[in-house]
Amino acid sequence: MKQVTVALSKGRIFTETLPLLAAAGIQPGEDPESSRKLIIDTNRPDVRIVIVRATDVPTYVRYGAADLGIAGKDVLYEHGSEGLYQPVDLGIARCKMVVAAPEDFDYASAVRRGARLKVATKYVKTAHEHFAAKGVHVDLIKLYGSMELAPLVSLADAIVDLVSTGNTLKANRLRTVEDIMAVSARLIINQAALKVKAALIQPLLEAFERTSAQKAA
Ligand code: ATP
Ligand code: PRP
């Protein structure tokens, strides 16, 4: 029997994908927050879920270790999406990629003066392209999380990170100084799997499309 493997990251992507899976008649057998299992069976013998880091989802799908997956536009942009079919913007895990700086830092005039800025981020490629396009000189400092701390301890003048409610910025006396892009999660599919397992993948794709179209309406 053919089986479809879906790559998901735990946390918000898994939680926000549950209604989409339900619309396709799929219920995970376990909750990755409480289980240590990395392969999760579902109520359907022809569908299983693998739990991977958010940034690793495209890699699993590109190499065919998973047939489909759900990844944020931030991850797809930063790590590349070559070889991946991206049919649906699912409209989940919505946020914005921004440049943020301390409330009392005059970012606009630093940019006008042509100052060289230290910018901390885990999105080095995205940040590099953003500042290069604007002709702003930056030294990029790669971090793996908690970017908001960097300006507070003088590691950086500004950060490039995701913002949703704005609570994290506010709690750390930072503010958005520039928008880079709107971010939401996309369905990604391995191109070979789409052909070989069309009978299994097509109905899932249609259910996901229907549910996200309803969400957008
Ligand atoms: P890891 O913890 O593995 O380093 P991560 O922290 O980026 O990865 P999550 O926080 O689960 O993983 O984020 C997964 C995806 O959800 C991100 O790639 C992004 O697209 C989206 N996302 C991140 N932060 C938010 C947020 N505050 N609100 C809405 N969506 C978000
Ligand atoms: C993300 C992002 C910000 C925060 C913004 O972090 O890196 O820190 O969300 O959300 P807000 O505007 O609603 O406060 P996340 O919650 O994923 O934590 P992590 O990346 O450190 O795991």
Side-chain angles (χ1 to χ4, degrees):
M1 185 198 57
K2 279 192 183 156
Q3 194 182 40
V4 164
T5 301
V6 183
L8 296 177
S9 52
K10 63 182 182 182
R12 59 171 61 85
I13 295 274
F14 186 87
T15 310
E16 295 192 32
T17 300
L18 282 176
L20 301 176
L21 292 173
I26 300 164
Q27 261 173 359
E30 267 164 288
D31 176 358
E33 295 303 333
S34 50
S35 163
R36 300 291 298 166
K37 272 196 180 173
L38 298 174
I39 300 182
I40 296 184
D41 290 327
T42 72
N43 59 321
R44 283 185 34 184
D46 57 352
V47 180
R48 65 176 184 169
I49 295 168
V50 291
I51 302 296
V52 304
R53 287 289 289 263
T55 44
D56 290 334
V57 169
T59 307
Y60 277 80
V61 177
R62 183 173 300 122
Y63 288 105
D67 302 300
L68 39 122
I70 296 181
K73 185 178 171 187
D74 52 326
V75 167
L76 292 167
Y77 193 85
E78 182 70 20
H79 300 283
S81 57
E82 317 80 56
L84 297 171
Y85 179 51
Q86 276 187 65
V88 198
D89 176 352
L90 298 168
I92 58 171
R94 280 184 191 277
C95 51
K96 253 186 342 184
M97 179 82 72
V98 305
V99 183
E103 283 164 0
D104 57 3
F105 179 69
D106 192 346
Y107 174 81
S109 88
V111 167
R112 262 198 313 277
R113 283 199 319 273
R116 195 168 183 95
L117 299 175
K118 281 189 289 173
V119 177
T121 186
K122 71 175 177 185
Y123 301 98
V124 172
K125 173 176 174 250
T126 309
H128 173 78
E129 285 179 9
H130 173 75
F131 292 113
K134 292 177 62 84
V136 175
H137 303 292
V138 290
D139 290 320
L140 293 174
I141 299 166
K142 167 82 183 179
L143 291 177
Y144 293 86
S146 302
M147 270 77 81
E148 292 87 354
L149 176 64
L152 309 185
V153 293
S154 305
L155 179 62
D157 302 304
I159 61 171
V160 167
D161 195 10
L162 300 172
V163 177
S164 171
T165 59
N167 289 342
T168 312
L169 290 185
K170 203 163 162 215
N172 294 292
R173 311 200 57 172
L174 304 173
R175 66 187 167 101
T176 297
V177 291
E178 241 161 37
D179 286 352
I180 299 182
M181 65 179 165
V183 169
S184 56
R186 319 285 155 123
L187 178 65
I188 55 173
I189 306 183
N190 176 280
Q191 290 181 339
L194 185 59
K195 295 196 187 99
V196 179
K197 299 184 183 176
L200 277 179
I201 294 178
Q202 205 60 40
L204 292 186
L205 173 54
E206 282 162 22
F208 280 20
E209 265 169 349
R210 258 196 323 276
T211 317
S212 21
Q214 278 167 9
K215 265 176 71 98

